[in-house]
Amino acid sequence: MPPGKQRSRKAGNAPDAIVDIALRKPSLLGTIWSEGSMTVSTHQLVCELKSLCRGRGVQAPGLERHIGPFLRTATAVEEHDGAEMSREKLRTWVDGLVHVLPEDLRLVVTTALGLNPQAQHLFLSHRLDWLADRSHRDARTVRRRLDDGFARLAEAALRPRRRPREEWYIARIRVELRLNESPPTRVEHWTVVALRDGVDEFTLPCTTDVTVLKGALKGECGLRFREPLRAGETQEFWVRAPLSAPASYAMRCERFDLIVTDAPTSDLPAPRGANQRTWATATT
């Protein structure tokens, strides 16, 4: 074995993953996180984020070919997703993490990745020059901030997470599709029940373009409650999102209602009331 290195085994459901840890630069490696047989460090994630910034960043055509294996694992991008789905998953992942960053680091990260709508330049250097002019800093300062921003983003992504099933369960989800609005929107009413004392956050399946209407605050990776819950207590909250925004309800809940609000049409059940009908109701 080369000097200055040691081997560390990570236990999991899959066969043990072996990672070489360079002892000479421990500060570059930072947190190590294991997902199945893939072991990810902050250093590896930062390297792949920097690589992804080249050219148009996440706006590049054929994006799925430019996502590295560690970033692919962290963002749950799958082999069959294609460019647009991969782009949406990356956007959602970044959107759920940048809230923990200071404003200057949040701005440099989103600009470098091509997620800032005001800086859609063809090259990374042009986007960073735009940001340097905007913030009255030189380009070298902006690049140093980008290093700090990516390091913080990776640390937030790889922090230990508690499994949701040990925190809460979903008593009800009520989704109203408001097709009569322009643009069409959906409003979701969630009711969750704490399974232990101290539950103060909820991991929403997707936070892209979500506006919290009532009952919670938008946090770094989901929603944060104003007061911690005790075991058995319920929390209700309402969120709004464009109908075009991605949504996932692939989780166990005791009741799921889907409501369509629109002018009556012949292909759905008769309305219960004026301009409203229950499209689907399910219980588990």
Side-chain angles (χ1 to χ4, degrees):
M1 185 180 300
K5 289 190 176 183
Q6 71 177 11
R7 281 188 171 180
S8 172
R9 290 184 177 270
K10 293 286 178 181
N13 295 329
D16 287 348
I18 299 178
V19 56
D20 286 332
I21 302 178
L23 297 180
R24 281 176 280 183
K25 294 184 178 180
S27 61
L28 293 179
L29 286 158
T31 306
I32 293 179
W33 168 68
S34 183
E35 175 74 17
S37 60
M38 175 69 75
T39 302
V40 185
S41 75
T42 54
H43 174 58
Q44 292 162 332
L45 204 54
V46 167
C47 288
E48 292 191 2
L49 283 166
K50 288 183 177 180
S51 178
L52 193 64
C53 287
R54 296 171 183 169
R56 292 188 180 275
V58 301
Q59 308 300 338
L63 175 67
E64 75 278 13
R65 300 193 300 271
H66 306 300
I67 302 174
F70 301 106
L71 188 57
R72 186 178 293 271
T73 298
T75 57
V77 170
E78 300 179 7
E79 199 171 329
H80 61 273
D81 279 340
E84 197 55 42
M85 179 62 74
S86 300
R87 186 172 294 111
E88 192 55 52
K89 285 186 175 182
L90 276 164
R91 185 190 302 274
T92 300
W93 181 74
V94 173
D95 179 62
L97 294 172
V98 293
H99 297 286
V100 303
L101 306 184
E103 184 178 357
D104 60 328
L105 299 187
R106 183 165 62 246
L107 183 59
V108 72
V109 164
T110 54
T111 299
L113 287 170
L115 293 173
N116 185 343
Q118 300 180 38
Q120 293 294 300
H121 303 79
L122 179 59
F123 299 110
L124 170 63
S125 58
H126 293 173
R127 294 195 295 275
L128 295 183
D129 287 343
W130 171 87
L131 185 56
D133 290 341
R134 182 182 183 276
S135 57
H136 306 292
R137 297 289 186 271
D138 59 48
R140 288 178 298 179
T141 299
V142 171
R143 287 188 176 274
R144 286 196 298 270
R145 288 182 180 175
L146 180 58
D147 290 341
D148 293 342
F150 279 155
R152 285 289 310 277
L153 193 73
E155 289 169 357
L158 303 186
R159 80 195 192 286
R161 288 177 173 81
R162 296 177 295 234
R163 290 177 294 179
R165 64 177 179 270
E166 297 177 345
E167 301 285 312
W168 37 256
Y169 72 88
I170 301 167
R172 183 181 183 184
I173 307 174
R174 183 184 187 276
V175 181
E176 181 181 351
L177 304 183
R178 297 184 175 179
L179 305 184
N180 55 348
E181 295 185 359
S182 182
T185 60
R186 69 174 188 268
V187 175
E188 302 172 357
H189 175 192
W190 294 69
T191 304
V192 298
V193 182
L195 292 176
R196 66 165 184 82
D197 292 343
V199 174
D200 60 358
E201 61 182 3
F202 178 82
T203 305
L204 203 64
C206 182
T207 57
T208 302
D209 297 327
V210 165
T211 301
V212 181
L213 300 177
K214 185 180 178 182
L217 302 171
K218 198 167 183 180
E220 57 182 271
C221 293
L223 303 182
R224 183 163 48 86
F225 302 145
R226 296 181 184 275
E227 298 288 341
L229 303 180
R230 293 184 178 182
E233 286 186 336
T234 62
Q235 176 70 44
E236 296 182 70
F237 58 86
W238 290 256
V239 297
R240 179 198 295 269
L243 192 59
S244 59
S248 173
Y249 307 107
M251 57 185 70
R252 182 186 178 278
C253 66
E254 292 188 339
R255 175 166 177 161
F256 179 90
D257 295 333
L258 181 61
I259 309 296
V260 179
T261 302
D262 193 10
T265 58
S266 59
D267 58 338
L268 290 173
R272 286 183 161 186
N275 294 330
Q276 188 177 79
R277 57 189 172 275
T278 299
W279 189 28
T281 299
T283 57
T284 59

